Structure formats: structure tokens, C-alpha cells
Amino acid sequence: MNKSPVRRFLKQPGSYRILAGGVIVFLLALATLSGSAWTKYGPDDLDLDNLLSPPSVKWLKGLLTTEEGMRIQARNQAGGRGGENHARPVSSDDEDLDFLGVQDSAAAGTATGMEGSGTGNGRVPETGESDNRSEAGKAKPHVLGTDKNGRDMLALLIAGARNCFLPGLVTCAFALGLGVPLGLFAGYYGGRVRKIVGTFNSTILSLPRLVLILVVICALEPNVYYTMGVLGATLIPRVSELIATRVRILSNMGFILAAKEAALSDFTILYRHLFWYQNRAVFFIQFSLIMAESILVETTLSYLQFGTKPPEVSWGNIIEGSQMSFFSGFYWITFFPAVAIILAILGFFYLGDGLNARLAYREGR
Amino acid sequence: MRTIAKIVGFFAGSLLLVSFLIFGIIHLTPGDIAEIHNLSPSTAHQLYLDRPMIVQYFLWFKGCLTLDFGISMVNGAKVSSLIGEYMPPTLLLAFGSLFLSLLVAIPLGVYRGLRPVSPLGKFISLAVYTLSSIPVFVLGYIVLAVVFGVFRFYVTAPPEGPFQFWPYVSYYSLPIFVLAVGNGTIGEFVRFISLEVQNVNGAMFIKAARARGSRLWRHFFRSMVLPIFNIIVTNMAVLLGGLVVVERIFNFHGLGWLSWEATLKRDFSVIMGITLVMAFLIRVFMLANDLLAVWLDPRMRE
């Protein structure tokens, strides 16, 4: 039958998962690389006229905005556009905002470590080229709303993507960089090497991952890259056992015996024949799954206040910083980061799982 | 007999290794521990901080063998009594959520394993994947929002005094639910059980039993006990790790909450004690798993 390559791709198992995961991962990588260069607001711009303004997309607003949120936004606009009291769009005795710690906008400006000067007229002077940013009176819309400091949610989400993606790469480097060689050695040499690797693995496996990370945080400074390294170390057993099982089966096969007879060096046999020709699919699958895992752990740690620290933005610490806002009508501050976290993890999971299904299908043939 | 001795020896050896690892990581800390916490010389002496490092380790480990984990560096409370106080609710939470996840996962996993390509089977795998990608704390917030916004029944403070049904149930139910669903436990169980059912279903002995017309479920049951226990044991570490997050969200006073608090205050002796106790728990489960394997599976006896 004469089938197009697209059709053939889609017919294999797992192709839809690969597509869905791939799109999400691509978007995430794009957000990491581009940063907030193309958005109307940067993550550091404080739009003090629009504290806690809800998303400006019409259908989203109709779908999701609670009555309380609408009420507050109406009052916000009335206060902000009123003329004289630019500095305080919301008066400080407003009971809806008190729990968020917004006493006045100057304090909010300095608390986040942004440039606090010039908050008197209600608008933070933009640094550098800012002609596409908000002009007086003609504010650009905040597509996903703003948080309690007037920061644009979309810009925050994009800035957070970077702090999810890059630590994930550190985890992968540790887990795969150490796990793959250990697995190869254990599977190929067997005997004592396998025993040593096994002991190492079972020692790591008998500590709860998050608790081990807490121990390291307790001993050293809470730094995302340390903790991601530790996370990578706790994932070594999984990778190395997977690789070792496959290599153990492979190393009794004809082509490896032939390679030995041909007096190829162990290095060539291990890395070219056993790893690259036979196991690189496993490598990429594990890469994807480990990225998912590390995003999960990074956001969790940021939520526990041990990951990315507040001036830096991470999806986890956005949720942590606005804990109770969900219950008082400001759903968008916690809702969008939560959706972003779930989508990012789901994307990597789907990608890994789809690739895995394809690998199983191909090897089964 | 020799196999059993080997297993128990491995158990003891790995605990020793784990304790050494914990001690080593904690003592990587830059600076003097006694200075970080401004400890008085007598307290520092009580915690063996004035001895050489290797002596410190052996004294600490010797204390741990007699359940004496030293004293807290922040408020001087005995770590063993702290752990004794916070452990029972945590154990109830952990085993409750384990029970709940098995209760849900076994039927789903068996169904998916028997009919992997049916619409319901496909739906189960999709749902399982989506659920396991929701982090515990996000799920915790969703649950809290629903419960606070709609039902308004949750009790946030730990119940005190004599046992009363309703406060206890509401205090434990939400953390148990979130820990079971959000930590990926159910997802992992369903995936593993269905895979195992698929394997067993295709095995020769089931085909033979089917041909003989004997009762299939007995053969199934016998061959499923070990894998299910095995997956429980491998998930213990994940479960205990998830406790930290769940207890923080629900302000549930247990070991996870205590370890979070200890990390925040850099209370080294408390975190060392908790980690060692958790590692011991996990190790005991692994030991039980190995012994069960020897007992149920004659091939393991060599």
C-alpha cells in the first residue's frame, strides 16, 4: 500500500502521545529560550494601576471570574483611573487585600526587589526600550491578569518556565551521566561490579527522595542546582538497573561476541555497540521521564520554600506566595501556574510514554 | 537457612551504610555546627560535637541503636520523644493512603490487564497518566478549594482529647485521599498491576490451567501476591517522601511536618533522626519482602 509518511507515523502505537507531548515540550523550550522578550510586560514590570486585575481575555473572564473578583476589579479601576490617588489604587484598609500583605504600593515595590523609585506617581519607570509597554492612559491588557504586586501573570509564567526547564537539565545530566555508565558496567562485567552497583542503588533507594533532599538542604545552602543534583542521584538506581538488565541480555548475543573476537576495545563495545546502537532510545525515553519528575520536584520544593527563592520566579513559588488567594476570588494567581505545572509534567510524561510504546512495538516485531 | 542469614546480614549492612551517608551529608555543612546554633559547651558535649568526626559518628550510631538520637539543637527537646510523638499520626496517614490506593488500584489494574485495548481499559490508562502528573500540592489546593468553597466541613486543627469520630475522620480523610491520588501511588500501582496481570495471563501455566478447566483465580492469586507486595515496598520511599508535602498543606502534625520544620530551622539532630527512622522503616519492609519471597517461592531458596 502506498501510504504517506504521516499516515505511517500515526499508525504506530504511541504516536498521538508523542505528538501531544512534543508540542508541549516544544512550547516550553521556546518559552525558556525566548524569555519574555515578546510579551507586553516583563516579569519585573510593576503595573501598579492594575493590582490583581483579572484576565482580560473575554471568554475566559466570562467563564471563570467569580463575582468577588469582578467587584474588586471594578473598584480597582475606579480607584486607579480616579486621577489623584494613583499611588494607592486600593486603599490600605481594604479587607480583601490585607491578607496578601499589600499595605501600600511603595512597600510592594521594594519588597519584591524591583526598582522602588518613582512609585509616587503610580507607575514604575521602565528601564531601556519600553515604547511598546504601557503608555499613560492606554494600558496594554494583561492577558492572564496580574498578581498582588501588579506583575503580569503571563510574563511570570514564562519566567517560571526557565526555572523549571534548566534545573531539569541538571537532574538529567546527573541521573543519565552517572546512571548510564553504571548500568553499562554492571550489565557487561557482571560479578563484583554488579554487586557494588547494586549495593549503591539499594542504599539510595532506602531513603525517601524528598527527605534526602531536605537533609542536603539542611546541611548546605538551599540552592536549586544542589537539590536537582541530589534528585539526579536518587534517580541513578532506576536508570542503571534498566540499562543493566538490557545489557545483560544483549552481551550474550552474537554481535557482541563477534565484537569481542574482533578485539574491539571494551570502550567501543560498551559505548558504541551496547549503548548507542542498542540503548539510545531508552536514553531519550528516560530523559523525558526524568524531566517530568524533576519539574514535579522543583515546583514542590519551591512550594516548600526550599527551591527557587522569591525574587526569582518559579511556578511553585507563585502558588506558595499567594496561598489563600484562591479562596477569595483571585483564582488566576494560582490557577494558571497550576495549569502550567500540570501541562509541563504531562507533556514530558506523554512524550516519554509514547516513545516507550513505540520502542516496545519495534522490538516486539 | 543460609539464604535467610544472608538477607538479614544485608539488611544490617545497608542500614549501616545509610546511617553513614546521612551523617556524612549533614557534616558536609560549612562552618562549625556548634557555632551555627550558638550551643553552650555542655550541650555541644552532650551532642559529642567536641570529639573527632569518626568518634562522633560511632557515638551517634551507638545512641541510635538504643533509640537515643540526641537532643534538638533548637529547643533541647529529646529527638526520640519528638519522633515518638509525631510518628503515630504519620503512620496512620501513610498506611491509610496505602490501603486506599490498593483498594482503588487492584480492580482497575486487573481490569486493564485483562482487557488492555477495550475503551474502558484505554480510558483507565489515560486517567492514570493524567492523575500521576498532578503534583501533590496542586491537588491539595484543588481539594482544599472544593472542600472550603463547597462543603465547609474540614477541621484544620489536630483533634485533641478523647477519641471522637467526626473530627478524626475529617482530619485524616483529606490528607489520606491526596496522598493516595496525588503522589502518583495509584498510578504506579495500576500500571504495575496491569502489566503483571498481562504477563501472568499469557503464561503457560494459566493456559494449562484453563485447558484443564481448573479454577483460574487461585493460580492468579498465588502468582500476584509477590508482585503486589513488591510494588508496595518499592513505593514506600515515594509515599514517605510525599508525606512532607501533604502534611505541610494540611498542617498535619506528623513526621513530614516535623522534618520540614527541622529543615527550616536547620535542626541537624532532628533531621538526622527522622531520616534514619524512615530509612529503617523502608528497610524493614524490604526485609519482609525478601523473606516473603523466600517463603513463597521455592526457587529463591537456591
Side-chain angles (χ1 to χ4, degrees):
Chain A
M1 295 304 268
N2 194 9
K3 276 188 204 147
S4 71
V6 176
R7 268 272 201 63
R8 220 165 34 218
F9 172 78
L10 287 180
K11 253 201 116 184
Q12 289 182 3
S15 51
Y16 290 100
R17 272 170 286 178
I18 294 175
L19 272 183
V23 168
I24 295 175
V25 169
F26 178 72
L27 289 179
L28 203 60
L30 210 64
T32 306
L33 289 176
S34 77
S36 52
W38 51 274
T39 53
K40 291 170 183 121
Y41 295 88
D44 294 349
D45 300 334
L46 307 183
D47 187 356
L48 297 174
D49 282 350
N50 293 309
L51 301 179
L52 291 168
S53 74
S56 65
V57 180
K58 284 242 169 56
W59 59 269
L60 206 59
K61 202 189 271 179
L63 201 65
L64 287 169
T65 306
T66 55
E67 276 178 29
E68 202 160 356
M70 294 279 240
R71 188 165 59 85
I72 286 162
Q73 192 213 9
R75 204 165 39 189
N76 246 345
Q77 281 173 349
R81 303 268 153 75
E84 285 311 299
N85 56 348
H86 267 317
R88 289 181 186 211
V90 181
S91 58
S92 62
D93 54 10
D94 192 324
E95 73 284 339
D96 287 321
L97 288 175
D98 264 359
F99 72 93
L100 285 170
V102 182
Q103 271 96 32
D104 65 13
S105 38
T110 45
T112 44
M114 311 305 159
E115 58 270 82
S117 62
T119 43
N121 58 6
R123 207 177 291 282
V124 176
E126 319 282 5
T127 49
E129 60 283 348
S130 62
D131 13 351
N132 63 338
R133 301 267 156 81
S134 57
E135 299 290 329
K138 248 196 285 176
K140 293 278 197 318
H142 296 277
V143 181
L144 297 183
T146 57
D147 75 348
K148 64 186 178 192
N149 296 325
R151 294 185 290 177
D152 186 51
M153 284 308 296
L154 181 62
L156 285 185
L157 287 188
I158 291 169
R162 179 169 299 185
N163 282 334
C164 278
F165 207 79
L166 297 183
L169 292 181
V170 175
T171 310
C172 284
F174 259 84
L176 295 171
L178 289 174
V180 168
L182 283 182
L184 287 175
F185 293 149
Y188 185 67
Y189 294 114
R192 185 163 292 171
V193 181
R194 204 174 106 204
K195 235 174 216 167
I196 293 172
V197 174
T199 314
F200 172 76
N201 286 348
S202 85
T203 308
I204 287 184
L205 280 183
S206 57
L207 286 168
R209 178 177 303 155
L210 214 52
V211 177
L212 184 64
I213 292 174
L214 285 191
V215 169
V216 172
I217 290 171
C218 194
L220 308 168
E221 286 299 297
N223 176 330
V224 192
Y225 292 95
Y226 287 161
T227 51
M228 288 296 116
V230 178
L231 175 66
T234 63
L235 287 166
I236 290 175
R238 203 174 81 188
V239 179
S240 68
E241 259 158 39
L242 188 70
I243 299 264
T245 332
R246 290 173 61 95
V247 168
R248 195 150 55 236
I249 297 166
L250 287 171
S251 57
N252 288 326
M253 285 181 156
F255 71 101
I256 294 297
L257 298 180
K260 274 185 197 163
E261 282 301 309
L264 294 182
S265 70
D266 275 6
F267 185 83
T268 318
I269 293 179
L270 276 177
Y271 281 94
R272 178 158 312 156
H273 294 261
L274 283 176
F275 174 62
W276 188 247
Y277 293 158
Q278 296 293 330
N279 278 322
R280 64 180 166 207
V282 176
F283 179 86
F284 290 116
I285 291 166
Q286 286 301 314
F287 179 84
S288 183
L289 294 179
I290 288 172
M291 282 301 282
E293 203 111 354
S294 82
I295 291 176
L296 207 148
V297 172
E298 197 278 332
T299 48
T300 304
L301 279 176
S302 296
Y303 167 75
L304 289 174
Q305 305 169 15
F306 297 129
T308 313
K309 289 276 167 194
E312 290 275 303
V313 186
S314 146
W315 295 336
N317 73 26
I318 298 174
I319 293 184
E320 203 280 328
S322 52
Q323 294 237 7
M324 299 317 277
S325 62
F326 200 95
F327 308 119
S328 29
F330 311 112
Y331 69 89
W332 59 91
I333 308 178
T334 41
F335 179 75
F336 293 122
V339 169
I341 292 171
I342 293 174
L343 274 185
I345 295 171
L346 207 61
F348 277 111
F349 258 139
Y350 275 162
L351 187 61
D353 191 48
L355 288 173
N356 208 356
R358 278 191 78 171
L359 179 70
Y361 172 69
R362 285 197 177 165
E363 289 189 341
R365 264 200 308 205
Chain B
M1 222 32 235
R2 272 193 63 196
T3 327
I4 291 179
K6 224 185 215 171
I7 290 172
V8 175
F10 186 69
F11 166 75
S14 59
L15 263 187
L16 200 69
L17 264 179
V18 167
S19 73
F20 192 73
L21 185 72
I22 297 169
F23 186 86
I25 293 176
I26 284 293
H27 286 262
L28 277 181
T29 184
D32 191 31
I33 290 180
E35 262 174 35
I36 292 173
H37 285 288
N38 256 336
L39 297 178
S40 66
S42 67
T43 322
H45 179 74
Q46 214 173 340
L47 286 165
Y48 317 120
L49 289 175
D50 47 357
R51 314 278 183 88
M53 199 66 91
I54 192 79
V55 180
Q56 266 187 53
Y57 169 70
F58 280 112
L59 286 173
W60 175 70
F61 190 69
K62 209 183 87 192
C64 290
L65 288 182
T66 56
L67 292 183
D68 171 22
F69 301 100
I71 58 172
S72 158
M73 293 186 185
V74 175
N75 54 19
K78 281 189 74 138
V79 177
S80 50
S81 66
L82 276 179
I83 290 177
E85 185 187 333
Y86 285 101
M87 186 124 106
T90 290
L91 286 185
L92 197 58
L93 174 55
F95 287 115
S97 92
L98 195 64
F99 181 72
L100 179 66
S101 33
L102 282 177
L103 206 65
V104 178
I106 289 182
L108 290 182
V110 169
Y111 182 84
R112 194 191 151 203
L114 291 178
R115 308 229 183 307
V117 286
S118 69
L120 188 57
K122 277 188 173 167
F123 174 75
I124 289 173
S125 39
L126 187 76
V128 157
Y129 252 101
T130 314
L131 270 185
S132 32
S133 69
I134 302 179
V136 182
F137 70 103
V138 173
L139 186 75
Y141 269 120
I142 296 171
V143 167
L144 269 185
V146 170
V147 167
F148 269 129
V150 184
F151 299 117
R152 299 175 189 281
F153 74 90
Y154 184 56
V155 182
T156 42
E160 281 173 18
F163 180 80
Q164 289 163 297
F165 183 70
W166 189 239
Y168 272 87
V169 167
S170 74
Y171 183 60
Y172 279 99
S173 59
L174 291 186
I176 284 179
F177 172 76
V178 169
L179 190 58
V181 175
N183 210 16
T185 323
I186 286 186
E188 198 69 22
F189 284 2
V190 170
R191 221 171 307 161
F192 186 83
I193 290 173
S194 72
L195 214 65
E196 204 59 41
V197 167
Q198 260 171 314
N199 283 344
V200 171
N201 205 15
M204 287 311 279
F205 69 91
I206 289 288
K207 279 183 190 158
R210 196 169 276 148
R212 272 203 312 277
S214 65
R215 270 180 237 143
L216 282 180
W217 65 266
R218 286 178 122 191
H219 297 269
F220 254 106
F221 183 75
R222 172 111 198 197
S223 53
M224 287 302 292
V225 171
L226 262 187
I228 288 183
F229 201 74
N230 201 12
I231 187 73
I232 292 175
V233 169
T234 39
N235 255 288
M236 274 308 274
V238 182
L239 193 73
L240 292 183
L243 280 174
V244 180
V245 191
V246 171
E247 293 184 359
R248 164 97 176 89
I249 298 172
F250 291 99
N251 197 22
F252 184 100
H253 286 218
L255 277 191
W257 187 83
L258 189 65
S259 63
W260 180 78
E261 185 96 336
T263 312
L264 214 58
K265 292 177 180 160
R266 304 193 76 191
D267 198 338
F268 297 113
S269 38
V270 172
I271 194 105
M272 269 154 72
I274 294 173
T275 316
L276 196 63
V277 166
M278 283 190 172
F280 178 75
L281 266 181
I282 293 169
R283 271 285 147 198
V284 166
F285 266 80
M286 287 181 172
L287 177 72
N289 184 34
D290 291 350
L291 292 180
L292 193 71
V294 171
W295 183 46
L296 283 181
D297 191 346
R299 282 169 300 181
M300 297 287 287
R301 286 174 210 158
E302 288 173 336

